[in-house]
């Protein structure tokens, strides 16, 4: 029940509330406000589970191997995403997401530090609890694991795209985040990777690489 409530809340607020707010405070602030509302709501729904998962994660944080794995997965994600971008440009396919332009526009209206908080804290927490913890959970059999893995990847990817070709830009992060989650089935694991990927992305946007 909690899992369905989380998924439904995400889509209803992300789209329904967005439509209600649109035109009143501007799309840049709309986006920020939607995540400000979703952040405590999703946490409240899974509060009991989050406390338990954090206890497990806090012990993982004390190991050096976690940081090594995090760095390796980040580097691999960036390398493969770069390879996808190179291949797409070679064939003349524009897969760069329009969301990048939206984020740049948001940073001209909403203070940059709030935009970064939204993208590097709010988004990883909300999206990992929705697309990994709520959708996948902790499946016990191999068939469920594979099916829910694929559902998570596709749904996460689709929520970010505007044009069909953008699917391939987000495919590598979607696969990596879902795979990283499956290593421990702990949402804080994938939140960590999600956050550092987004930090690199925001730095790239700020310095003009993307």
């Amino acid at each position: 029940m909690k899992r369905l409530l989380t998924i439904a809340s995400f889509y209803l607020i992300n789209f329904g509330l967005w439509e209600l707010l649109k035109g009143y405070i501007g799309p840049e602030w709309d986006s920020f406000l939607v995540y400000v509302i979703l952040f405590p709501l999703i946490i409240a729904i899974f509060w009991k589970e989050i406390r338990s998962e954090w206890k497990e994660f806090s012990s993982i944080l004390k190991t050096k191997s976690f940081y090594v794995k995090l760095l390796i997965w980040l580097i691999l994600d960036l390398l493969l995403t770069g390879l996808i971008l190179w291949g797409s440009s070679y064939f003349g396919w524009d897969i760069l997401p329009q969301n990048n332009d939206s984020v740049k526009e948001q940073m001209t209206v909403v203070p940059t530090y709030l935009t970064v908080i939204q993208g590097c804290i709010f988004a990883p927490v909300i999206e990992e609890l929705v697309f990994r913890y709520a959708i996948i959970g902790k499946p016990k059999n191999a068939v469920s694991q594979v099916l829910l893995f694929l559902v998570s990847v596709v749904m996460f990817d689709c929520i970010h795209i505007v044009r069909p070709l953008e699917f391939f830009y987000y495919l590598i992060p979607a696969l990596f985040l879902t795979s990283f989650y499956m290593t421990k089935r702990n949402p804080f694991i994938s939140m960590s990777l999600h956050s550092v990927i987004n930090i690199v992305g925001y730095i790239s946007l700020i310095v003009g690489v993307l």
Side-chain angles (χ1 to χ4, degrees):
M1 186 62 183
K2 285 186 178 182
R3 294 166 66 181
L4 291 176
L5 178 61
T6 301
I7 297 167
S9 297
F10 177 83
Y11 280 95
L12 285 172
I13 293 175
N14 212 20
F15 293 105
L17 182 60
W18 170 275
E19 290 298 321
L20 290 174
L21 291 173
K22 191 168 61 176
Y24 288 96
I25 60 176
E28 296 83 9
W29 279 105
D30 288 346
S31 176
F32 179 74
L33 184 57
V34 162
Y35 272 74
V36 167
I37 293 171
L38 276 170
F39 185 72
L41 175 62
I42 301 299
I43 289 176
I45 293 173
F46 279 127
W47 179 244
K48 182 178 178 181
E49 291 82 356
I50 286 173
R51 292 175 64 185
S52 175
E53 298 293 355
W54 175 257
K55 288 180 181 179
E56 177 188 349
F57 183 64
S58 60
S59 62
I60 295 173
L61 279 175
K62 297 175 183 177
T63 64
K64 292 182 180 179
S65 60
F66 168 73
Y67 299 97
V68 173
K69 289 178 183 177
L70 185 65
L71 181 60
I72 291 172
W73 282 66
L74 172 64
I75 293 171
L76 288 174
D77 170 82
L78 295 176
L79 287 175
L80 289 174
T81 299
L83 184 61
I84 291 289
L85 284 172
W86 175 83
S88 64
S89 63
Y90 180 81
F91 290 104
W93 301 339
D94 181 15
I95 69 169
L96 278 174
Q98 291 184 11
N99 185 52
N100 285 354
D101 293 329
S102 299
V103 172
K104 290 177 184 178
E105 291 173 9
Q106 185 183 29
M107 286 191 288
T108 64
V109 178
V110 180
T112 300
Y113 74 92
L114 290 180
T115 306
V116 172
I117 288 173
Q118 176 188 338
C120 301
I121 298 177
F122 291 171
V125 171
I126 294 166
E127 293 175 7
E128 292 311 309
L129 286 175
V130 172
F131 294 101
R132 252 59 71 175
Y133 202 61
I135 290 178
I136 299 176
K138 299 178 182 289
K140 296 180 179 179
N141 62 74
V143 174
S144 295
Q145 287 181 32
V146 173
L147 289 177
L148 293 173
F149 181 99
L150 294 175
V151 170
S152 173
V153 167
V154 172
M155 290 182 69
F156 175 80
D157 203 322
C158 288
I159 194 68
H160 291 87
I161 68 174
V162 177
R163 299 170 296 120
L165 280 178
E166 293 176 12
F167 183 90
F168 298 101
Y169 177 86
Y170 288 105
L171 182 59
I172 297 300
L175 288 169
F176 268 71
L177 288 170
T178 310
S179 298
F180 204 48
Y181 169 79
M182 294 299 288
T183 60
K184 296 289 185 180
R185 298 177 193 174
N186 185 304
F188 290 103
I189 293 286
S190 50
M191 282 178 201
S192 301
L193 181 59
H194 196 154
S195 183
V196 293
I197 288 174
N198 284 9
I199 287 171
V200 172
Y202 271 83
I203 292 173
S204 301
L205 287 174
I206 291 170
V207 301
V209 175
L210 290 176

